[in-house]
Amino acid sequence: MAGCPAAVTGLGLYTPAGLGVAECWAGVGAGLPTARRDPALAGLPVDFSCRVRVEPSEVLGGRAARRMDRFVQLAVVAAREAVADAGLNRATWDPARIAVVLGCADGGPGTVEAQHRVLLEETAARVSALLLPMQLANMSAGTVSIDLGITGPSLVAATACASGATAIGLARDLLTLDRCDVVLAGGSEAMITPLVMAGFAQMGALSRRADDPQTASRPFDAARDGFVAAEGAAVLVLERPADARARGARVHALVGGFGASADAHHLTAPDPDGRGCEQAVRSALADAGISPGDVDHINAHGTSTVLNDLVEAQMIDRVFGDRPVVTSTKGVTGHMFGAAGAAEAAFCVLALEHQLVPPTANLTDLDARIGIQVATRPVEGRLQVAVSNSFGFGGQNAVLVVTSA
Amino acid sequence: MYEQLKEMIERKFQVPLADIEPTATLEDLGLDSLDVVELALIIEKETGVRVTDDELVEAADLGSLANLVMSRIAPV
């Protein structure tokens, strides 16, 4: 059974590039990098990151935000924007027919680390009763349901750095199966904490370009040396196209295909032959009923690690050749982990709406082994079909096909 | 003690000071069971007095809660 296309009727973005869709697209479209020194990481092997610029607790107000971990706060802000953008009316909607499916890699490590310190330095009797309700990974979707009073299926998908894309794919499946009429689909992540960053540094996954953080995230560049950690959230409102038309909603674009796969190769390293990610791409294209030659634009996973970018570029070359204009918006945003796939799907939607491929920030010298067409400046053109790649630790891959409305 | 308690509730739970009256119950202030556990922790941390969350829930209002804490600081 093929999935029906899902209409994207609302967008919400809260990323290092800005608060809200307009600010985020302005930064991403212009290719303005956001990495900078991070005081919270002082003294650690890597002390820079891409943070959101406005504190989510300030956006929400202290009282509402107090019992939410940061990844939940980010999700709630993005979900509110997406619902408003979709023009959904809380007075008339049927809350039982609205679902929430969000991606998240790690839940709330900031809360865990703070309370673990209390346990070690004080006593168990001082540990907060809010530890679990704040840090459990499902709490982004749970809290969005509470915040908006919606009662349909509510869950979090975890495929590490592919979580946001997986969530959108699963959300479309829920619509196809008629489990609901509307889904708030996306992802959020706030895992820039000392412990997490120490772990990433030990893996050798992070860029060490400490003398110039702004240029550290440089996907596909010959001098790339790792990713830059980021935080953020993205939420898309999805509906069946007929329902969207019936209520007169504006349709930004369609999610036409989804493909998921597992490398079954290694805990963290991509299969060097790129077979797993190729399988996900081909399955997404088949699901959308399109051929590789129809694809105009690819928002690559493009993390800026040595291995990912090479394996991914070779896979893109094999499947698509050099026709599609490829970009990695992680040059601007850094790597938002479980939010990345959702934000990048939203950037595909915006690229189709604006007929503009955003540039890959900091790409000045394309790796000589890479033969695909990667945008180094904003590229205008006729764009009808976009593909968004997301690959997670564990070898879990999720690919979305986005088409013009 | 009442004033100290009032300040704790305002700071920790962002309850507007104007809403905090001696006759207010914790429920009136919008504190649920999770908040009550937090309140017990902060009272112990800042006054050295241990009150259980059950005692907090059973206290009739903020005034009697303040009296309970006071009585443990300076037993008669």
Side-chain angles (χ1 to χ4, degrees):
Chain A
M1 169 169 144
C4 67
V8 180
T9 57
L11 292 177
L13 282 169
Y14 190 3
T15 78
L19 171 56
V21 170
E23 271 186 35
C24 288
W25 183 245
V28 165
L32 306 173
T34 59
R36 61 198 62 186
R37 192 99 40 221
D38 185 338
L41 305 177
L44 289 167
V46 172
D47 64 356
F48 55 94
S49 70
C50 299
R51 293 272 188 186
V52 295
R53 291 181 235 160
V54 185
E55 281 300 296
S57 56
E58 287 171 24
V59 179
L60 287 170
R63 188 141 204 219
R66 188 179 59 77
R67 308 209 298 182
M68 301 178 196
D69 185 273
R70 193 176 178 89
F71 84 105
V72 177
Q73 296 172 348
L74 293 166
V76 168
V77 173
R80 288 181 184 178
E81 184 189 13
V83 166
D85 181 52
L88 289 168
N89 184 348
R90 291 181 63 174
T92 56
W93 72 21
D94 177 358
R97 295 294 297 172
I98 304 177
V100 183
V101 185
L102 298 179
C104 182
D106 197 19
T111 297
V112 174
E113 287 171 41
Q115 292 302 315
H116 191 227
R117 202 171 305 122
V118 172
L119 177 68
L120 297 179
E121 293 175 3
E122 301 179 40
T123 68
R126 287 273 168 86
V127 169
S128 171
L130 294 169
L131 165 64
L132 288 147
M134 285 176 68
Q135 66 91 6
L136 292 174
N138 67 310
M139 284 300 171
S140 52
T143 308
V144 166
S145 296
I146 293 167
D147 185 64
L148 297 169
I150 53 185
T151 63
S154 179
L155 64 118
V156 158
T159 54
C161 305
S163 302
T166 300
I168 292 170
L170 294 179
R172 178 169 153 277
D173 290 347
L174 288 180
L175 288 173
T176 299
L177 293 169
D178 197 28
R179 304 276 190 229
C180 55
D181 298 326
V182 178
V183 197
L184 313 189
S188 78
E189 199 78 64
M191 55 190 283
I192 309 173
T193 67
L195 183 62
V196 169
M197 291 295 282
F200 276 135
Q202 290 293 84
M203 291 176 68
L206 296 171
S207 169
R208 301 288 178 135
R209 199 176 275 261
D211 54 331
D212 192 10
Q214 282 252 321
T215 66
S217 184
R218 43 194 316 116
F220 304 112
D221 192 271
R224 69 188 183 279
D225 72 331
F227 68 76
V228 178
E231 60 184 7
V235 174
L236 286 69
V237 176
L238 303 182
E239 303 174 60
R240 284 180 290 273
D243 294 347
R245 274 195 302 275
R247 72 175 184 92
R250 175 193 48 182
V251 176
H252 290 283
L254 301 167
V255 177
F258 172 56
S261 72
D263 282 3
H265 170 71
H266 185 266
L267 280 177
T268 57
D271 176 349
D273 298 330
R275 282 172 302 204
C277 57
E278 178 173 341
Q279 182 186 323
V281 166
R282 291 196 187 277
S283 137
L285 294 176
D287 189 34
I290 59 170
S291 61
D294 298 328
V295 174
D296 303 306
H297 164 48
I298 298 174
N299 189 311
H301 187 54
T303 55
S304 184
T305 62
V306 172
L307 206 49
N308 173 82
D309 293 7
L310 181 61
V311 170
E312 183 179 13
Q314 289 170 339
M315 181 276 289
I316 290 173
D317 203 357
R318 216 162 42 241
V319 177
F320 299 96
D322 65 357
R323 180 182 176 277
V325 186
V326 179
T327 194
S328 168
T329 44
K330 288 187 179 78
V332 170
T333 63
H335 194 345
M336 292 181 275
F337 308 114
E344 289 155 19
F347 295 145
C348 283
V349 169
L350 291 163
L352 297 182
E353 277 199 310
H354 293 268
Q355 296 285 289
L356 179 97
V357 174
T360 304
N362 295 316
L363 172 55
T364 52
D365 179 18
L366 187 67
D367 184 328
R369 296 167 293 178
I370 291 176
I372 58 175
Q373 183 192 169
V374 188
T376 54
R377 54 175 177 78
V379 177
E380 291 178 25
R382 201 172 121 76
L383 307 175
Q384 284 194 299
V385 181
V387 164
S388 181
N389 289 342
S390 297
F391 313 136
F393 283 171
Q396 294 173 319
N397 309 303
V399 175
L400 295 166
V401 175
V402 182
T403 61
S404 289
Chain B
M1 174 49 59
Y2 169 72
E3 286 305 320
Q4 194 180 343
L5 197 58
K6 186 171 165 177
E7 188 277 326
M8 283 179 206
I9 290 171
E10 191 254 344
R11 169 163 44 90
K12 181 80 184 171
F13 303 101
Q14 278 99 38
V15 179
L17 276 177
D19 295 351
I20 309 177
E21 302 278 348
T23 54
T25 64
L26 296 177
E27 198 180 350
D28 292 338
L29 300 175
L31 271 59
D32 66 12
S33 62
L34 293 168
D35 293 324
V36 168
V37 180
E38 294 292 294
L39 182 59
L41 287 179
I42 191 169
I43 290 172
E44 186 185 348
K45 201 164 185 173
E46 299 192 10
T47 68
V49 170
R50 183 166 298 178
V51 282
T52 67
D53 40 338
D54 285 342
E55 288 172 320
L56 287 180
V57 171
E58 283 159 16
D61 54 28
L62 275 193
S64 40
L65 183 53
N67 289 339
L68 174 71
V69 177
M70 270 309 282
S71 71
R72 294 198 182 161
I73 291 177
V76 191

